[in-house]
């Protein structure tokens, strides 16, 4: 009894499963091509619908490998005339309805979702598993426009290559050399006389479905594609076999080429796709051609391409060399710039030390005048000092010779109030004082040294002469005094002279093309300081 119950339950579950598989989901419509829509089993996957083909513009193909039943409907717009339409239905190429007219009474209004109203009717529900349902429709007012919609429930057969032939020139025209029933790899040698390759495929009812391509296996580049098959050449069982002709010129070089024949189906363009690459490969035919060319000729285009490749390679090598050269030069320039900036910072540091040194000495002079109760001279000294201070504290790296002359004038006039000496500032007539620039306060420390350590020690006839002289492209600046002199070999303890020597050394590190040369001559009759700015003019 238990066995009977278990058997009954198993049968019931199996029947329920089958019914669930065959139950059509009418809530989901698939486009089937043209005016056709379809609904399929609710649990069906991999519904490849409405494939179209460039060589069959009025044919639509739906591949339904997992569908058991399909409901097919036809839709008409309000502007169509359904009474003019005729249809034929084939099952496995056998007619089950021939040249039927649309039953107008069966048309129902339907909404496509975009607010446009349609009228539709159904052709019925068809078992499709391992079958082919083909519906042919046309409008009697346009009888040449015949539309074919194919619902394919069988496994798509893998194409088989029946043979190859080479066409070659003869004295009488052309002839063919055949290879039939080839294996997975075929060796072909093309001579100068050969001009064409023919590939012959087995015959099927869906030849239009197959797309052929040839890939250069060395470059993975597709060198040939075709969706059109011709018929003839080889006859098998009283049927003309499909073939394609390929010009020999597609084979640019000797090597392996792969022939790929596959169904023109978008494997990823389906509902509920779960087909794997391995499953797709079952539908694809691959064959390797090992091509040998007796003469590998280069076209003008190829020669131009190779020339361009060589030129680009040379250009690229030049650019790489240029890049690294520029990078190295940039690094050198950066290092030099860093050195220059460091020198400038040090130069500013020296200037920042010179300015307080000068100001301290000037304030000391004011104090000295006030101690001697020379109030008028102290006021004059303070007035000159105020203008001079503004110029000294101005943070300019370069000033004109005219500005330098004014600064020295102010300083010497200020010191004249204390020491009563005479001075001259002489300039060459061919010097443009307003447009020639020199580092600011370049001479002031030497002039100050001449005042404080030269003529201030002498009783009378003190004199300072300053000159700006042009010698060829050099600018020569001199400070001469008739003081007691000093030992130029002895290291000076004066801060101003030490800082000036350091400043000149730094200026030489910045202005490498314009050397600053300092020369000092001193006797008991006076001192002459010469500062030459090489190629400054």
């Amino acid at each position: 009894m238990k066995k009977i119950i278990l058997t009954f339950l198993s049968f019931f579950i199996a029947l329920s499963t089958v019914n669930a598989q065959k139950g059509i989901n009418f809530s989901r419509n698939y486009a089937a091509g043209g005016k056709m829509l379809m609904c399929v089993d609710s649990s069906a996957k991999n519904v490849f619908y409405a494939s179209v083909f460039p060589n069959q513009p009025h044919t639509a193909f739906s591949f339904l490998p997992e569908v058991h039943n399909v409901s097919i409907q036809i839709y008409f717009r309000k502007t169509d005339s359904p009474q003019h339409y005729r249809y034929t239905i084939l099952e496995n190429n056998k007619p089950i309805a021939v040249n039927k007219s649309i039953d107008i009474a069966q048309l129902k209004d339907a909404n496509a979702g975009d607010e446009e109203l349609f009228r539709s009717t159904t052709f019925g529900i068809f078992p499709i598993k391992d079958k082919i349902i083909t519906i042919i429709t046309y409008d009697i007012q346009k009888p040449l426009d015949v539309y074919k919609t194919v619902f394919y429930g069988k496994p798509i057969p893998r194409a088989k290559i029946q043979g190859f032939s080479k066409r070659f020139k003869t004295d009488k025209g052309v002839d063919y050399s055949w290879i039939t029933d080839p294996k997975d790899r075929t060796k072909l040698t093309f001579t100068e006389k050969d001009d064409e390759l023919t590939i012959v495929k087995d015959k099927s009812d869906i030849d239009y479905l197959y797309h052929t391509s040839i890939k250069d296996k060395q470059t993975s580049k597709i060198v040939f594609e075709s969706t059109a098959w011709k018929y003839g050449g080889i006859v098998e069982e009283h049927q003309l076999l499909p073939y394609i002709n390929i010009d020999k010129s597609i084979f640019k070089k000797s090597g392996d080429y792969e022939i790929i024949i596959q169904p023109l189906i978008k494997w990823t363009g389906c509902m509920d796709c779960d087909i794997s690459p391995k499953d797709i490969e079952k539908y694809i035919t691959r064959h390797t051609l090992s091509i040998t060319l007796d003469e590998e000729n280069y076209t003008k285009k190829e020669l131009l391409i190779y020339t361009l490749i060589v030129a680009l390679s040379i250009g690229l090598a030049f650019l790489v060399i240029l890049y690294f050269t520029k990078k190295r030069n940039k690094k050198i320039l950066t290092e030099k710039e860093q050195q220059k900036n460091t020198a400038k910072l040090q130069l500013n540091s020296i200037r920042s030390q010179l300015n307080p040194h000068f100001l301290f000495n000037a304030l000391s002079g004011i104090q000295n005048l006030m101690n001697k109760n020379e109030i008028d001279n102290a006021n004059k000294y303070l007035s000159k000092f105020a203008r001079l201070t503004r110029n000294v504290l101005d943070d300019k790296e370069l000033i004109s010779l005219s500005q330098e002359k004014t600064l020295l004038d102010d300083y010497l006039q200020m010191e004249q109030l204390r020491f009563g000496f005479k001075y001259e500032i002489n300039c060459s007539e061919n010097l443009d004082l307003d447009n020639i620039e020199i580092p600011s306060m370049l001479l002031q420390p030497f002039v100050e040294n001449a005042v404080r350590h030269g003529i201030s020690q002498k009783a009378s006839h003190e004199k300072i002469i300053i000159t700006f002289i042009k010698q060829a492209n050099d600018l020569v600046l001199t400070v001469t005094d008739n003081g007691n002199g000093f030992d130029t070999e002895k290291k000076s303890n004066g801060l101003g002279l030490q800082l000036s020597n350091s400043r000149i050394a730094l200026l030489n590190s910045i202005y490498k093309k314009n050397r600053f040369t300092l020369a000092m001559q001193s006797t008991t009759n006076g001192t002459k300081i010469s500062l030459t700015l090489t190629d400054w003019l």
Side-chain angles (χ1 to χ4, degrees):
M1 187 65 182
K2 287 183 178 179
K3 290 184 179 180
I4 296 173
I5 294 173
L6 287 173
T7 303
F8 178 77
L9 287 173
S10 299
F11 175 77
F12 180 77
I13 292 170
L15 183 63
S16 300
T17 302
V18 169
N19 288 332
Q21 170 66 27
K22 295 184 178 181
I24 293 178
N25 181 6
F26 289 99
S27 64
R28 172 180 280 184
N29 290 318
Y30 295 88
K35 296 180 178 297
M36 301 291 180
L37 290 178
M38 65 178 174
C39 298
V40 300
D41 303 334
S42 58
S43 60
K45 293 183 178 297
N46 296 318
V47 179
F48 303 96
Y49 54 91
S51 295
V52 293
F53 314 96
N55 57 331
Q56 299 285 327
H58 292 164
T59 297
F61 185 91
S62 295
F63 180 39
L64 311 173
E66 299 180 15
V67 176
H68 286 75
N69 294 283
V70 58
S71 171
I72 304 171
Q73 304 93 39
I74 185 168
Y75 277 69
F76 297 97
R77 296 179 181 274
K78 287 291 186 180
T79 54
D80 292 334
S81 300
Q83 66 273 17
H84 295 154
Y85 279 80
R86 300 293 183 266
Y87 67 91
T88 295
I89 302 176
L90 306 175
E91 181 182 299
N92 294 336
N93 293 329
K94 293 181 180 179
I96 57 177
V98 178
N99 209 28
K100 294 279 188 176
S101 60
I102 301 296
D103 188 349
I104 303 299
Q106 296 295 322
L107 288 175
K108 296 180 180 179
D109 288 339
N111 193 323
D114 55 359
E115 298 184 359
E116 183 177 2
L117 292 177
F118 291 83
R119 288 178 292 170
S120 71
T121 186
T122 181
F123 288 124
I125 297 174
F126 302 89
I128 192 67
K129 189 66 176 177
D130 295 324
K131 294 182 180 180
I132 307 170
I133 301 297
T134 304
I135 299 181
I136 301 170
T137 60
Y138 70 95
D139 185 338
I140 59 175
Q141 294 182 331
K142 300 176 182 178
L144 296 179
D145 293 341
V146 179
Y147 293 84
K148 182 165 70 172
T149 307
V150 180
F151 303 86
Y152 206 88
K154 292 182 176 183
I156 294 175
R158 176 185 278 184
K160 180 182 179 183
I161 296 176
Q162 297 287 72
F164 299 103
S165 73
K166 289 192 303 177
R167 190 177 75 174
F168 55 90
K169 298 176 184 176
T170 65
D171 295 337
K172 296 182 180 180
V174 295
D175 202 350
Y176 296 87
S177 172
W178 284 94
I179 298 174
T180 57
D181 196 21
K183 304 304 178 184
D184 293 339
R185 186 183 187 91
T186 300
K187 293 183 179 180
L188 290 175
T189 299
F190 283 105
T191 66
E192 186 179 356
K193 292 183 178 180
D194 298 322
D195 64 353
E196 190 176 84
L197 173 68
T198 299
I199 300 175
V200 181
K201 186 185 80 66
D202 60 331
K203 181 76 170 64
S204 76
D205 293 331
I206 51 173
D207 288 334
Y208 57 84
L209 185 65
Y210 294 95
H211 167 264
T212 304
S213 60
I214 297 179
K215 181 175 72 173
D216 184 341
K217 296 185 76 170
Q218 300 167 84
T219 63
S220 295
K221 180 181 178 183
I222 299 297
V223 297
F224 174 83
E225 288 185 284
S226 176
T227 57
W229 295 91
K230 299 177 183 178
Y231 289 87
I234 294 182
V235 178
E236 187 177 83
E237 297 180 358
H238 306 291
Q239 288 188 332
L240 298 176
L241 297 183
Y243 70 92
I244 52 175
N245 294 328
I246 302 166
D247 196 281
K248 183 188 75 173
S249 63
I250 71 163
F251 304 109
K252 303 297 183 185
K253 299 287 178 292
S254 298
D256 287 346
Y257 294 80
E258 185 178 40
I259 300 173
I260 304 168
I261 304 177
Q262 59 186 318
L264 196 60
I265 291 176
K266 293 181 180 179
W267 297 108
T268 57
C270 70
M271 292 291 185
D272 299 323
C273 291
D274 65 355
I275 190 167
S276 67
K278 185 178 180 181
D279 291 331
I280 295 173
E281 195 64 29
K282 295 176 183 177
Y283 299 100
I284 301 176
T285 299
R286 298 182 187 273
H287 187 93
T288 299
L289 288 178
S290 184
I291 301 294
T292 301
L293 301 178
D294 275 1
E295 293 185 3
E296 298 190 18
N297 297 319
Y298 296 94
T299 64
K300 290 182 179 179
K301 183 178 179 181
E302 287 176 324
L303 289 173
L304 178 61
I305 290 172
Y306 295 145
T307 302
L308 286 174
I309 289 172
V310 172
L312 286 172
S313 299
I314 294 172
L316 183 61
F318 173 76
L319 288 174
V320 170
I321 294 170
L322 183 64
Y323 168 77
F324 284 107
T325 302
K326 281 189 173 182
K327 189 175 180 180
R328 185 186 64 186
N329 291 339
K330 186 177 180 181
K331 184 178 179 181
I332 293 171
L333 287 173
T334 301
E335 290 175 352
K336 287 182 177 180
E337 189 67 25
Q338 287 176 346
Q339 292 173 359
K340 187 175 180 180
N341 289 335
T342 301
K344 283 184 177 180
L345 288 172
Q346 293 173 340
L347 195 60
N348 289 335
S349 175
I350 289 174
R351 285 183 58 199
S352 67
Q353 294 178 64
L354 279 171
N355 291 346
H357 173 74
F358 160 73
L359 294 174
F360 176 78
N361 288 337
L363 290 172
S364 178
I366 295 171
Q367 185 182 32
N368 185 269
L369 288 172
M370 292 180 69
N371 288 338
K372 292 195 293 185
N373 207 25
E374 296 180 18
I375 304 302
D376 290 340
N377 284 341
N379 285 330
K380 291 177 183 179
Y381 192 102
L382 191 59
S383 177
K384 292 286 184 183
F385 173 71
R387 190 169 89 166
L388 190 59
T389 301
R390 283 195 297 272
N391 291 328
V392 169
L393 295 178
D394 192 359
D395 194 26
K396 285 186 179 179
E397 183 179 344
L398 298 173
I399 61 172
S400 67
L401 283 175
S402 175
Q403 290 172 312
E404 180 76 359
K405 181 177 179 298
T406 300
L407 188 148
L408 294 174
D409 262 326
D410 286 342
Y411 173 72
L412 289 169
Q413 288 173 20
M414 188 174 68
E415 294 292 8
Q416 271 184 328
L417 296 173
R418 295 175 59 196
F419 301 113
F421 60 87
K422 294 181 181 179
Y423 77 90
E424 293 178 9
I425 300 179
N426 302 317
C427 305
S428 296
E429 293 182 358
N430 54 356
L431 279 177
D432 186 354
L433 299 184
D434 291 327
N435 293 315
I436 298 173
E437 293 184 324
I438 62 173
S440 63
M441 289 190 70
L442 188 60
L443 287 181
Q444 196 278 333
F446 301 108
V447 174
E448 184 177 343
N449 203 57
V451 171
R452 295 193 175 277
H453 305 291
I455 61 170
S456 64
Q457 307 282 332
K458 211 163 186 180
S460 60
H461 307 295
E462 303 96 336
K463 189 170 185 178
I464 295 175
I465 300 174
I466 300 169
T467 61
F468 300 162
I469 304 170
K470 178 180 180 181
Q471 291 182 355
N473 292 330
D474 299 342
L475 176 62
V476 182
L477 310 174
T478 66
V479 179
T480 307
D481 67 70
N482 59 354
N484 295 327
F486 65 95
D487 186 357
T488 58
E489 300 298 326
K490 186 178 179 181
K491 187 175 181 180
S492 172
N493 293 323
L495 181 62
L497 196 57
Q498 289 180 18
L499 292 174
S500 294
N501 285 327
S502 298
R503 188 183 185 199
I504 289 170
L506 287 170
L507 286 171
N508 281 329
S509 70
I510 295 173
Y511 301 98
K512 294 185 182 295
K513 295 182 180 180
N514 310 102
R515 300 293 299 175
F516 287 68
T517 305
L518 178 65
M520 294 187 289
Q521 298 174 349
S522 186
T523 66
T524 55
N525 295 321
T527 301
K528 182 178 181 180
I529 304 293
S530 295
L531 187 58
T532 303
L533 283 65
T534 308
D535 288 330
W536 196 263
L537 303 176

